[in-house]
Amino acid sequence: MNSHHRSIGLVFAVHGMVAGSMSTRIPWIQDQLDLGPGTLGLALLCPSIGAFLAMPTASRLAHRFGTRATTRLLIALWCAAALLPPLSPSLAWFFATLLLYGAAAGMSDVVMNAHGVVVEKHLDRPIISGLHGMWAVGSLAGGGLGVLAAHFGLDARLHLAAVSLVTLAVGVLVGRGLLADGPAGAHVPAPRRFALPTRAIAAIGVVGFCGTFAEGASANWAAVYVTEVASAGPGMAAATYTIFMLFMAGTRLSGDRIVQRFGPVAVVRVGGATAALGALLVVFARTPLLAITGFSLLGLGVAVVVPLVFAAAGRTAATPGEGVAGVATITYLSGLTAPAITGWAAGAFSYPTAFTLVAVILVAMSALAGALRPKPAPTQTPEPALR
């Protein structure tokens, strides 16, 4: 693995570790602030809103200072942001800190993916799927340590302060090894603060919306589904989510070699078909084993979609940061709405009906995968020789 590749991979792992650590300590914060489920659910919308609003700013920073410098700055900000939510003295402060936390998450997400595209171009081979695999590994590690901290009753303020300090130190250290690049230059116009994506970016974003929808629906509802429909116990329900995430992580870590061999369009088409089959298994499952098999196929099929969407957008736009920011806003919107739409469909109709909708969306994703086809480099007409 090239040193620049290794460095950006570790940045992704750092980002994932912060996210995984925070997710395990939400119950502690809920107890401290005495929040009901409805209030907590409303509060947990704030990170996505903060990310959605702040991501276009990240592409402007990357345009002005380069993806390397911006990644180093924003990953440090992200590590520090994990300190804020557990320190909230009231509900209003909790809402505000989650907005800031989400803004730091989204901005750092955009620039590290943009830098990943820069490194991918430099190496001339796919690496984005593996980078997202490193994020999943970091998230699983952070979540595992968070579970231990919660089990032993460690104060979340101390736990997340330690996580922030360690990840900040690692982020600063590995940031030095990122591939050097500079500002985009005067010949490339700065991205607008808010602008509709181009037709090409929007088409790529729709593929990402479908993949993120299936991922979000599965991650948020897998444990509930096997409990309510397949009569699974608490241990089996937790195992369903874990197995889904392990299939996601494993596929992302090995996805670059598959993409290099078959190309992004074929991989997304086959992945969409595989995930749709998994969703149908979930629909007809009435035993935990069949439901877990279905969610495993879902994780396997959608794992590389978002990395490939980010890579395609980064290659298509004028700058990687602008392209990644454009599709990231679409995928974040999908991640924000998927759990709610799935829950509404399950409540209004049934859980199997909700995952029938997921299967239909996955079929649409396969049909639209051609948007990820790499565009041929423009041919330059040679200038006539001077006589």
Side-chain angles (χ1 to χ4, degrees), residues 289-310:
L289 182 59
L290 189 58
I292 288 174
T293 303
F295 281 114
S296 300
L297 290 176
L298 268 161
L300 180 69
V302 301
V304 298
V305 174
V306 171
L308 291 180
V309 161
F310 281 1

Side-chain angles (χ1 to χ4, degrees), residues 20 44 49 64 77 88 90 128-129 142 160 166 169 197 240 248 283 287 300 312 325 337 353 357 369 372:
L44 293 179
I49 294 170
R64 182 170 182 180
L77 239 118
S88 302
S90 66
I128 299 294
S129 177
L160 292 174
V166 171
T240 304
M248 289 272 295
V283 168
T287 63
L300 180 69
T337 57
T353 300
L357 173 63
L372 304 187

Side-chain angles (χ1 to χ4, degrees), residues 18-289:
V18 173
S21 299
M22 174 61 72
S23 66
T24 61
R25 304 320 306 266
I26 293 298
W28 185 93
I29 301 173
Q30 181 182 14
D31 288 342
Q32 289 294 113
L33 296 178
D34 194 24
L35 305 179
T39 305
L40 179 62
L42 187 61
L44 293 179
L45 288 174
C46 291
S48 293
I49 294 170
F52 186 83
L53 294 174
M55 282 187 293
T57 300
S59 63
R60 292 176 66 86
L61 288 172
H63 177 275
R64 182 170 182 180
F65 300 109
T67 60
R68 179 181 187 266
T70 313
T71 297
R72 294 182 68 185
L73 169 67
L74 291 179
I75 200 66
L77 239 118
W78 165 238
C79 295
L83 280 169
L84 300 177
L87 294 176
S88 302
S90 66
L91 179 61
W93 278 103
F94 187 48
F95 272 68
T97 57
L98 284 180
L99 282 170
L100 292 173
Y101 175 82
M107 292 174 71
S108 54
D109 193 6
V110 166
V111 295
M112 71 188 193
N113 274 284
H115 190 75
V117 173
V118 171
V119 176
E120 184 174 81
K121 288 180 178 178
H122 175 74
L123 297 176
D124 195 27
R125 58 183 173 84
I127 66 166
I128 299 294
S129 177
L131 297 182
H132 283 252
M134 290 295 292
W135 188 96
V137 169
S139 179
L140 287 169
L145 291 173
V147 168
L148 288 175
H151 176 73
F152 288 107
L154 183 63
D155 190 305
R157 290 166 292 192
L158 295 176
H159 167 220
L160 292 174
V163 169
S164 290
L165 289 173
V166 171
T167 54
L168 179 60
V170 174
V172 169
L173 184 64
V174 302
R176 297 175 181 175
L178 296 176
L179 179 66
D181 69 342
H187 63 286
V188 179
R192 284 178 287 176
R193 182 67 178 81
F194 288 102
L196 291 174
T198 65
R199 183 177 298 178
I201 295 297
I204 295 168
V206 170
V207 177
F209 184 96
C210 294
T212 305
F213 190 99
E215 181 181 335
S218 300
N220 284 274
W221 288 98
V224 176
Y225 192 99
V226 296
T227 302
E228 297 293 331
V229 179
S231 303
M236 190 67 74
T240 304
Y241 170 79
T242 303
I243 291 169
F244 169 78
M245 290 303 298
L246 286 173
F247 267 82
M248 289 272 295
T251 305
R252 284 178 171 173
L253 287 171
S254 58
D256 292 322
R257 292 190 294 274
I258 301 169
V259 173
Q260 191 167 20
R261 181 169 181 181
F262 297 105
V265 176
V267 169
V268 171
R269 280 184 177 154
V270 174
T274 303
L277 174 61
L280 289 175
L281 282 179
V282 168
V283 168
F284 292 106
R286 295 299 179 268
T287 63
L289 182 59

Side-chain angles (χ1 to χ4, degrees), residues 311-329:
R315 292 190 303 265
T316 301
T319 63
E322 184 178 357
V324 171
V327 297
T329 54

